[in-house]
Amino acid sequence: MSAKPNPVPPVTIAEEPSILKQPKAVWAVFFACIIAFMGLGLVDPILPAIAKQLDAAPSEVTLLFTSYNAVMAVAMLVTGVITSRIGMKYTLLSGIVIIALFSGLGGLSNGIWELVFLRGGWGLGNALFVATALTAIVTLSNSGNAKAIILYEAAIGLGISVGPLIGGWLGAMSWRGPFLGVATLMVIAFIGLTTLMPRTQSAGGTKRKKTSLADPFRALQHRSLLVLGIAAALYNYGFFTLLAFSPFVLGLDEHGLGMVFLGWGILLAITSVFMAPKLQKWIGTVKSMCLMLTLFAATLLAMGIWTSAQWVVIAAVIFAGALLGNNNTLITTAVMNASPVERSTASAAYSFLRFLGGALAPFLAGKLAEIFNSSMPFYVGAFFVLLSVVFVWMNKKHIMHVDEAEAH
């Protein structure tokens, strides 16, 4: 299906009000996002410790990411249905409660399979929160849609960067510490949102149209959204290969892993806010995405070639943060401009495909390492990321209107 004119106002970055001039409700969601995404980074420094203390293989421990992403992918399809019926505020609060409950229970568990199951429940809460948080920030922001997306990506970056530092500190005491820490932080986020976020979320005070389960699948009939979703699934395979498997080859303790992923997350946060808009303006969204993905594939390839060289892997992980920060903002902005469907529906459809890739990678990375060697997961990750570049370039005629929207 060829691209149709997009009746949804395009997302642009330049010449909009300051990103810092936001209502209190936006900042409440922003800080809750930071805490929610701390949960992703908090687990990284303790993966080897979990494997050792629960007598689990790396392929079993990486299931903590697989169950999380798989449940999140499926749950993304129902977030719009739930939000359109109970409103953004209560959807966000429901997600926070579920995250707090399952992370807390995870910290009290005693077996790897019990922990994998509870991590899936955490993914359900995260799906409700994450998908709705993006829509909430875009809806409530007064600085323009593009800068609202940048604010959202900045919250992700800050959460992912601070998470490993706290995870390494708590994990050095016990692998249970980060799980219980997330539960405590989500209680704080719950109080903040309950206090600062208004009940009526719809723009202009209008009642939002109820969505159905079929809407995300209908949205994927738009070739542009389908192309970006498949590309994101391929790219996310590489993303979660790095995130879930690299802790097993770095040979560092909890504090060391926390510091490495702190550097990774800081670069991710900085580039998503400051560098991505400049790339978008200089060479366009599609070309910038392809450039970042090509460099990321090369980085994973280097990690595969020099897996035994600790300093190379450390440098590659930290450098990858810059590439991932840029690409996350670029591809999110592209999705918002990709099709004429409502943005929350587009986000749900795209996120479903995106997290499917993130669900496959962690488990397969562990299995590939067991069957072949520790380099093979990075080679396969590099292949899939490079495949995403080829796929985008082969289908660029379906998504070039994204750059036209940016130009306008």
Side-chain angles (χ1 to χ4, degrees):
M1 184 181 291
S2 59
K4 296 180 180 179
N6 191 350
V8 181
V11 174
T12 55
I13 291 178
E15 298 179 0
E16 290 177 339
S18 171
I19 195 172
L20 299 177
K21 295 181 179 178
Q22 305 290 350
K24 288 182 180 179
V26 171
W27 290 118
V29 178
F30 175 81
F31 287 114
C33 277
I34 293 175
I35 295 171
F37 277 96
M38 277 184 187
L40 189 65
L42 242 76
V43 177
D44 254 347
I46 59 171
L47 292 179
I50 291 174
K52 183 178 179 180
Q53 294 181 35
L54 295 184
D55 194 24
S59 60
E60 293 175 329
V61 176
T62 53
L63 283 173
L64 293 175
F65 282 98
T66 292
S67 63
Y68 176 84
N69 283 326
V71 172
M72 191 151 59
V74 176
M76 284 291 180
L77 298 173
V78 302
T79 54
V81 176
I82 295 172
T83 304
S84 66
R85 284 160 175 76
I86 68 173
M88 281 190 279
K89 179 175 182 176
Y90 292 119
T91 305
L92 289 169
L93 292 175
S94 299
I96 286 174
V97 169
I98 293 172
I99 293 171
L101 175 65
F102 281 95
S103 60
L105 291 173
L108 301 175
S109 64
N110 294 305
I112 186 62
W113 295 108
E114 183 183 353
L115 195 57
V116 167
F117 171 78
L118 293 169
R119 180 75 166 161
W122 187 341
L124 171 62
N126 226 51
L128 290 172
F129 181 86
V130 169
T132 312
L134 174 58
T135 305
I137 288 178
V138 170
T139 302
L140 297 170
S141 173
N142 57 13
S143 64
N145 292 321
K147 288 184 178 177
I149 291 172
I150 293 172
L151 197 65
Y152 172 76
E153 293 293 342
I156 293 175
L158 287 170
I160 290 176
S161 62
V162 176
L165 188 65
I166 298 175
W169 176 63
L170 293 175
M173 303 176 193
S174 168
W175 68 263
R176 301 175 188 277
F179 288 89
L180 299 175
V182 168
T184 304
L185 290 170
M186 293 315 288
V187 171
I188 298 172
F190 182 90
I191 295 170
L193 275 182
T194 303
T195 306
L196 297 175
M197 192 169 183
R199 181 175 178 177
T200 302
Q201 313 302 328
S202 300
T206 58
K207 188 175 181 180
R208 187 178 174 186
K209 184 182 76 172
K210 290 183 178 180
T211 60
S212 72
L213 288 171
D215 285 348
F217 295 103
R218 292 195 190 103
L220 290 175
Q221 292 177 358
H222 296 278
R223 187 64 178 270
S224 54
L225 188 60
L226 181 63
V227 167
L228 290 170
I230 292 174
L234 295 170
Y235 145 67
N236 253 32
Y237 185 97
F239 183 110
F240 278 95
T241 294
L242 181 144
L243 198 62
F245 188 70
S246 60
F248 291 101
V249 301
L250 282 168
L252 299 171
D253 62 11
E254 291 85 353
H255 287 302
L257 289 171
M259 293 305 294
V260 170
F261 281 96
L262 171 65
W264 174 80
I266 288 173
L267 283 184
L268 189 148
I270 291 172
T271 53
S272 66
V273 175
F274 298 107
M275 189 174 174
K278 295 184 184 300
L279 284 171
Q280 199 172 24
K281 186 176 180 180
W282 289 340
I283 60 176
T285 303
V286 177
K287 288 182 180 178
S288 297
M289 281 170 46
C290 290
L291 175 61
M292 292 300 107
L293 290 172
T294 301
L295 291 173
F296 181 42
T299 302
L300 287 171
L301 181 62
M303 292 174 71
I305 295 172
W306 292 288
T307 307
S308 58
Q310 187 186 56
W311 73 269
V312 174
V313 180
I314 290 173
V317 169
I318 294 172
F319 175 66
L323 306 176
L324 299 173
N326 279 316
N327 195 66
N328 284 349
T329 296
L330 291 166
I331 200 165
T332 303
T333 306
V335 167
M336 295 296 101
N337 282 329
S339 65
V341 300
E342 191 174 317
R343 287 193 174 116
S344 59
T345 302
S347 177
Y350 156 76
S351 296
F352 168 68
L353 293 176
R354 174 188 182 186
F355 286 109
L356 282 181
L360 290 171
F363 174 70
L364 290 179
K367 280 297 181 185
L368 287 169
E370 290 175 7
I371 297 170
F372 298 100
N373 54 56
S374 296
S375 296
M376 187 58 67
F378 299 113
Y379 290 142
V380 175
F383 169 77
F384 277 107
V385 174
L386 192 60
L387 188 60
S388 73
V389 179
V390 174
F391 183 74
V392 167
W393 207 249
M394 287 175 61
N395 291 276
K396 64 179 181 178
K397 66 179 181 180
H398 299 293
I399 56 175
M400 288 309 292
H401 66 285
V402 169
D403 284 319
E404 293 171 9
E406 173 64 21
H408 287 303

